[in-house]
Structures are given as C-alpha cells and as structure tokens.
Amino acid sequence: MYEERASRLAGAVVWSHGGSGDAARPVLPDGCMDLLWNEGRLLVAGPDTRAYVPEGAAGRWAGVRFFPGTAPAYLGVPAHELRDRRVELTDLWPAAEVRRLTGRIDAAADPVTALEVVALERAAGAGPPDPRLREVVAALRAGRSVAAAADGLGLGARQLHRRSLAAFGYGPKTLARVLRLQRALALARDGVPFAETAARSGFADQAHLARDVRELAGMPLSELLAGAP
C-alpha cells in the first residue's frame, strides 16, 4: 500500500509502499528527484522525461521526493547526469558513508522516518538551493511561458536553460511540459471533463492533451486514470 506525507524538509514529500501491487504502477514525470531506500540499498531516482515502470522492485520501499530543482544541491550532482536513471547512492557518495547510512536505516524501527532524517542532515550540511529555482517552478506551474519566467528572474534564455539543466535535469520547456501534465492529471482525477481539463491546463485542445499524455505517460489518459491509486 502506498502512503505519503509532507516532509519536514521544505517542499519535500516522504512516501512508502510495500512493493506488491504498487511496484508495477508507472512513475510519471513530475520534475522531482527522489532519495530511495529498499531493504539494504540506497538509490537515487533522477528526473524523468517519460514514464518509468519499476522492475524487480519487491520488498519495502521508502522515498524522499525533493521539491523540483533542490535535490542537486543536497546530493552533490547535476540533475542532467541522472536524467531518466536510477543509480546506487554509492555511485555518488563515498561507499563507506553509504554503508553506514544504509545500516542505520535498516536497523531503524521506522525506516521511512530514518530516511527522512538522512535527507534533513544532508540538506542542513549542504545549505539552501538557489531560491530563484522555486520561482521558476512557481511561474511554470502557474502556466506562464518560459520567456515570461526568464524575464521575471532577470535571466536570459541561455542562462535559464543552463541553470535548468543542472537543477531539473532538462531545459525549462521540458519542465513546463511536465508541470502542465501534472496540472492536467490533477484536474482529470477530480472528475473535470477532458476537454475542459485541456483548456484549463494550457493545452491547445483535447487532442493535444491526449498526445502529451501518451508521450509522457505511455498510455491514454483514460487508462492512466483507471490505474490511479
């Protein structure tokens, strides 16, 4: 069973599941990166540009889903290096440190909270991410254009693109597309008709919405909603 809650780390979400039926459900692009624990393993899920279907994901899982753009500052790696990848944390941090942290989480009465504490400690030691990244996310979530978002921050198009690659794993246009998909899914899950969902989310029409959902989620919107938790 999948469960999630707000984290004590600003903007982050802490989640867990038992790895049965949830393991087969596709993970959709959302602009985020996750720190993952899976019974003796620590991994990092990079930013996705398409649906990711977990394979061999049995057992208990816990995750900290970082607010978009913040994980690279905490994990110490540019987001574009992990785009569409799941990597062992030992590929990013010293192996001895990862073994120590893994053992600590494995031995904890509540591995979910223990993983969250690891994320909090890492964030405290790394310092805060660039606050302008949150402004980028807020502008694009609100449906503003990439050009308007750049102008609002006083950045040129190339500057914003370079910062976006490092923070989000892809350019601002891709981030805007991913966040638009998330807006549409939220509306559709609330029962808003697809044509109205398309209009309110910023798509040209319902056909445009359908194409984007197929490309990013790998299935039609009706099928995606039928399998939603």
Side-chain angles (χ1 to χ4, degrees), residues 205-229:
D205 51 31
Q206 187 174 338
H208 184 197
L209 167 64
R211 288 194 302 272
D212 251 31
V213 171
R214 278 186 174 275
E215 290 179 16
L216 294 173
M219 65 183 69
L221 180 56
S222 56
E223 184 179 337
L224 182 61
L225 295 178

Side-chain angles (χ1 to χ4, degrees), residues 128-214:
D130 185 344
R132 287 177 293 183
L133 299 173
R134 289 183 178 268
E135 296 179 40
V136 172
V137 175
L140 297 180
R141 274 182 173 168
R144 296 179 64 190
S145 68
V146 171
D151 288 344
L153 294 173
L155 296 175
R158 290 185 178 179
Q159 287 179 305
L160 180 58
H161 187 80
R162 184 171 61 251
R163 290 173 185 267
S164 294
L165 285 178
F168 306 113
Y170 31 64
K173 289 185 178 180
T174 298
L175 177 62
R177 190 180 181 210
V178 166
L179 296 178
R180 183 177 61 187
L181 171 69
Q182 291 295 326
R183 289 199 303 274
L185 291 177
L187 290 169
R189 285 167 177 154
D190 283 342
V192 177
F194 291 175
E196 184 181 348
T197 288
R200 290 173 57 181
S201 302
F203 291 90
D205 51 31
Q206 187 174 338
H208 184 197
L209 167 64
R211 288 194 302 272
D212 251 31
V213 171
R214 278 186 174 275

